[in-house]
Amino acid sequence: MIKTENLGKSFGPVVAVDEVSIHVPGGAIYGLVGPDGAGKTTLMRMICGLIVPDRGRVLLTAPTAGLEQRPAGSVLGYMPQRFGLYGDLTVMENINFFGALYKIKRSTIKERADELLDMTGLLPFKNRLADNLSGGMKQKLALTCALVTRPGLLVLDEPTYGVDPGFRKDFWRILYRLNKEGMTIMVSTPYMDEAELCSKVAFMDKGRVVAADSPAKLKSSFPYRVLEVRVDTRRPGLFNDLPQVVDAAFYGDKFRVVVEDVPAARQAMEQRMAASGLAGELRCSEVSPTMEDVFIALAEKEVV
Amino acid sequence: MRRDRMTLGLIFMLPLVQLLLFGYAIQTEVKHIPTVVFDQSLSVESRDLLDAFGASGYFDMTYAASSYTEVNQMIDSGAAKVGIIFPPDFARVIQRGESGQVQVIVDASDNMVANQAMAVANSIGLLQSQKVLLQSKQFKGPPYDIRVRPWYNPDGITAFYMVPAILGIIVTMTMVIMTSMGIVRERERGTLEQLIVTPIKSYELMIGKIVPYIALGYLQITVALLVGVLIFHVPIRGSLLELYLLTLFFITASLGLGILISNIAKSQMQAFQMSFFVMLPSILLSGFMFPREAMPKVIYYLSTIIPLTYYLDIIRGIVLKGIGFPYLVGQVVSLLVFSVVLLTLSILKFKKKIA
């Protein structure tokens, strides 16, 4: 569906996207994760044709049957990071406007809008001005407008950024439904739990894609092991500087410790406890890595 | 502000450029007024007086007419602002020791030029009469009897020539400022990003940004004309329909200017500043406040790239002079060229990209 070849873009001295070659297969939910400033938005904007790449190229194909019957341009639906609709138009007027830009018949727009608004739960707010919608509802409206053309490919730039968890769940339920109906989805997100929901995830860091695979494969290729450690202490940095510990995070009642060698790390942690005069025993259990662990490890590997 | 070079530049450049420009441009004393002469006397006496007119520096004898109709046409078209007419018996009357009448027609649709021309013509008449009287004392009255006729606005009512011009200023100001926000506002609000991925064409977007304002422009003109007629009793001597038709070119030229600004500006703030930057010359150089004839050559040519310059000719022409399209072809073509060039530039400048 989407293929990029050595895609690159610089803004002055800053290399925003560097040699990115990705492949988004048809029918995928392709997640793009990475820290702020990794180049996710720039990459997506290049895919949508909003930014001209300095190097490389983007190939968009419409392999799904029936796509060729769509009017040109409706193959791709795009939902930008910033709310890009008209605040002084109502929900329905916004939908009509975008539908009309694609030369879709008024009656077809109405039909689809009713279905989409029902799906997104915006039906009761049909006649409300877009400016008066809550943040989450605005995102749903943006999604509705992007969907009114029935695109084969939907590109969403951090659609759930800054909205509440309940809404995020809702939004992903909709994305899953669309995907099941055959839509290819490319979505960027700062949330690791959302990355788990994708069929394929690409990690971006400093303009490059450092890894791209299914969440399961990414986790299985995780080079370290993760321990959950319970100690009676309020010192979050207790294990941070141990050479045997790759990464340690404190979650109030427990540490999440990423290590290379479990026995060696365990020994080092016990020594640290004794040296710090902490009583009690080190309760330690191994857990499976999450996408967040993978993400942090990948980001750190890049630093070294 | 330190990071916004454009604003910084405008804040320093604006007063500098405008002060220099207007400091040189604005002359309230009008010299070299284009003048048409219809000399039926063709005598030493008429030539003497004409020489005095020419030597004053205020009148340029640009045209020689051979009929009244020709004089009318010259002044109607605005080619000449003053007409000097000597009767056939001018020389004979003076030789008899009587007062020789000279008709001086002044285009009073431009008040400043008219007032000056009238004052100067009268004083030349007095001066020359005195000169003649010093040489021979046999005259019963002053030898030269200058009869000044202010045409189009004989009573010199300020509102008559100001109201149509103000109408032009209002229209161009609102049109430029409103459309200058058009594209840049979408850019600022982020709606452009969403819009660009749609199949909409650049020219479609530009036209969509312009068409509603054409209607708005007409609404504005209608209200302004109603106020002019009902409250200031401005006469509309020409055809109202023609005025409305020709106004279209002025509106599109103004909108083209606005939309070009909108494509260049990076923020609404910048767009507003740029609009202001182009509005000031429109007010000061178009002939709205100061006569263009009095401007230095460079600035006079500068004033020819201001749409309002042409529209003032059109609206004063139709409203006060009662002239029609045949006299205004040049102005209409100029405005048409403005519209086409500005719109084309806007369409070319607008890339369906954000970076």
Side-chain angles (χ1 to χ4, degrees):
Chain A
M1 202 89 197
I2 309 172
K3 229 182 187 156
T4 70
E5 287 174 359
N6 307 319
L7 208 56
K9 177 75 192 180
S10 306
F11 296 108
V14 183
V15 182
V17 171
D18 193 12
E19 295 286 310
V20 169
S21 299
I22 56 166
H23 172 63
V24 180
I29 297 186
Y30 195 94
L32 202 55
V33 296
D36 273 339
K40 302 187 296 281
T41 298
T42 307
L43 176 61
M44 290 187 138
R45 283 176 169 176
M46 281 195 283
I47 287 170
C48 295
L50 284 161
I51 295 182
V52 187
D54 293 336
R55 299 167 294 278
R57 56 180 186 156
V58 178
L59 298 166
L60 290 180
T61 47
T64 330
L67 267 183
E68 53 273 20
Q69 281 141 17
R70 291 166 211 276
S74 72
V75 176
L76 188 142
Y78 172 59
M79 184 178 152
Q81 194 168 17
R82 234 176 98 196
F83 182 65
L85 299 171
Y86 296 91
D88 44 4
L89 295 186
T90 66
V91 168
M92 201 55 214
E93 283 167 345
N94 266 300
I95 298 171
N96 279 330
F97 177 67
F98 277 94
L101 286 180
Y102 286 92
K103 300 190 171 64
I104 301 172
K105 266 191 291 187
R106 195 67 166 220
S107 56
T108 318
I109 297 174
K110 206 199 161 307
E111 212 174 281
R112 287 182 190 174
D114 280 342
E115 189 191 318
L116 289 167
L117 289 175
D118 184 44
M119 179 167 82
T120 51
L122 281 181
L123 212 47
F125 308 103
K126 219 170 150 172
N127 296 316
R128 193 181 279 201
L129 291 183
D131 262 347
N132 299 339
L133 295 174
S134 72
M137 286 200 283
K138 274 183 181 163
Q139 295 302 87
K140 283 182 174 176
L141 174 58
L143 179 69
T144 310
C145 285
L147 288 175
V148 78
T149 59
R150 295 258 165 91
L153 171 64
L154 183 63
V155 177
L156 308 120
D157 194 358
E158 301 199 344
T160 57
Y161 187 70
V163 292
D164 71 72
F167 166 79
R168 278 171 56 196
K169 230 169 152 182
D170 241 26
F171 200 88
W172 272 89
R173 217 179 40 232
I174 298 168
L175 290 189
Y176 260 83
R177 193 175 139 186
L178 293 167
N179 182 248
K180 214 154 89 200
E181 288 165 10
M183 194 178 289
T184 307
I185 293 168
M186 182 176 195
V187 55
S188 71
T189 174
Y191 302 115
M192 290 312 132
D193 55 336
E194 289 184 355
E196 310 244 11
L197 300 170
C198 300
S199 62
K200 206 171 169 186
V201 175
F203 277 102
M204 273 194 94
D205 192 39
K206 297 186 182 64
R208 320 192 113 206
V209 170
V210 290
D213 217 327
S214 68
K217 282 210 182 114
L218 280 170
K219 279 187 274 190
S220 71
S221 65
F222 185 63
Y224 308 112
R225 296 166 77 177
V226 183
L227 299 176
E228 220 170 68
V229 179
R230 284 170 196 278
V231 185
D232 279 333
T233 180
R234 291 276 163 222
R235 284 171 52 195
L238 188 61
F239 301 129
N240 272 13
D241 54 342
L242 290 174
Q244 294 86 349
V245 171
V246 178
D247 188 59
F250 185 59
Y251 290 100
D253 63 333
K254 62 182 186 257
F255 287 91
R256 202 175 161 82
V257 187
V258 179
V259 301
E260 228 161 327
D261 179 354
V262 175
R266 194 187 167 114
Q267 201 184 355
M269 281 191 284
E270 273 165 352
Q271 274 166 7
R272 169 59 54 88
M273 281 179 68
S276 316
L278 282 169
E281 143 197 38
L282 185 84
R283 282 160 291 157
C284 173
S285 60
E286 192 169 346
V287 294
S288 55
T290 61
M291 285 302 277
E292 190 154 354
D293 298 319
V294 177
F295 174 67
I296 290 166
L298 281 166
E300 266 168 18
K301 204 162 69 185
E302 198 57 17
V303 174
V304 179
Chain B
M1 190 77 84
R2 193 157 55 91
R3 307 271 155 85
D4 184 359
R5 294 252 176 85
M6 181 86 173
T7 301
L8 205 62
L10 278 170
I11 280 174
F12 285 102
M13 290 308 287
L14 200 82
L16 200 65
V17 171
Q18 310 242 8
L19 263 177
L20 284 173
L21 193 67
F22 303 135
Y24 280 115
I26 295 166
Q27 308 277 339
T28 49
E29 195 183 50
V30 194
K31 295 212 166 186
H32 305 292
I33 304 168
T35 304
V36 56
V37 180
F38 177 29
D39 186 353
Q40 299 169 86
S41 163
L42 290 170
S43 56
V44 180
E45 284 79 3
S46 66
R47 219 159 304 136
D48 275 352
L49 191 58
L50 272 182
D51 283 346
F53 268 94
S56 71
Y58 288 96
F59 303 95
D60 278 2
M61 307 303 156
T62 330
Y63 307 99
S66 51
S67 68
Y68 276 106
T69 338
E70 223 175 304
V71 175
N72 281 356
Q73 278 174 355
M74 287 285 172
I75 295 180
D76 272 349
S77 71
K81 299 259 172 183
V82 172
I84 304 177
I85 299 163
F86 293 94
D89 60 350
F90 182 70
R92 254 176 293 136
V93 169
I94 289 183
Q95 281 156 9
R96 277 207 305 267
E98 289 167 22
S99 287
Q101 273 194 14
V102 185
Q103 229 188 92
V104 175
I105 296 165
V106 173
D107 175 356
S109 69
D110 189 340
N111 214 43
M112 208 178 280
V113 178
N115 284 339
Q116 178 137 20
M118 291 191 283
V120 175
N122 278 323
S123 55
I124 288 174
L126 284 174
L127 217 65
Q128 292 306 310
S129 294
Q130 270 175 347
K131 267 191 196 167
V132 173
L133 284 171
L134 280 175
Q135 284 161 1
S136 63
K137 307 218 184 296
Q138 47 183 330
F139 279 95
K140 291 168 200 143
Y144 302 121
D145 178 12
I146 309 274
R147 297 282 173 95
V148 177
R149 304 249 180 287
W151 273 11
Y152 312 126
N153 189 6
D155 302 324
I157 299 170
T158 313
F160 282 15
Y161 71 91
M162 280 307 266
V163 168
I166 291 171
L167 189 151
I169 294 273
I170 291 169
V171 169
T172 190
M173 196 136 77
T174 41
M175 294 293 109
V176 169
I177 288 174
M178 276 189 190
T179 39
S180 73
M181 300 294 158
I183 303 288
V184 77
R185 182 171 49 217
E186 300 235 9
R187 212 176 272 281
E188 251 182 28
R189 282 198 191 161
T191 47
L192 197 65
E193 190 174 347
Q194 186 69 266
L195 210 55
I196 288 172
V197 287
T198 70
I200 190 169
K201 303 268 191 315
S202 299
Y203 73 88
E204 290 174 333
L205 185 60
M206 296 304 140
I207 290 170
K209 286 283 170 202
I210 281 176
V211 169
Y213 292 109
I214 294 180
L216 215 62
Y218 272 119
L219 192 70
Q220 219 170 26
I221 282 172
T222 309
V223 171
L225 275 179
L226 276 174
V227 171
V229 171
L230 295 178
I231 295 176
F232 295 102
H233 309 291
V234 175
I236 296 180
R237 302 204 173 104
S239 143
L240 201 57
L241 179 70
E242 215 158 355
L243 179 62
Y244 269 75
L245 287 177
L246 300 193
T247 295
L248 177 67
F249 300 100
F250 177 58
I251 293 179
T252 49
S254 299
L255 293 175
L257 191 58
I259 209 88
L260 184 63
I261 289 174
S262 202
N263 274 301
I264 294 169
K266 301 225 158 32
S267 64
Q268 294 193 68
M269 168 86 165
Q270 276 187 6
F272 193 76
Q273 289 166 334
M274 285 197 228
S275 306
F276 186 71
F277 193 75
V278 299
M279 278 323 299
L280 216 53
S282 284
I283 293 171
L284 295 174
L285 302 185
S286 64
F288 163 67
M289 286 181 96
F290 307 101
R292 288 170 68 223
E293 286 79 4
M295 294 170 189
K297 272 280 163 279
V298 181
I299 299 195
Y300 181 86
Y301 288 121
L302 200 67
S303 74
T304 60
I305 56 163
I306 298 170
L308 184 63
T309 302
Y310 300 98
Y311 189 62
L312 286 186
D313 285 346
I314 293 176
I315 192 162
R316 280 179 174 160
I318 294 178
V319 171
L320 291 180
K321 296 184 173 180
I323 57 175
F325 181 67
Y327 284 110
L328 298 166
V329 176
Q331 281 80 355
V332 172
V333 169
S334 303
L335 288 177
L336 189 65
V337 169
F338 273 120
S339 308
V340 171
V341 168
L342 290 168
L343 277 179
T344 312
L345 280 178
S346 303
I347 292 166
L348 292 179
K349 179 93 181 80
F350 181 76
K351 294 274 182 311
K352 277 189 77 180
K353 302 285 176 232
I354 51 175

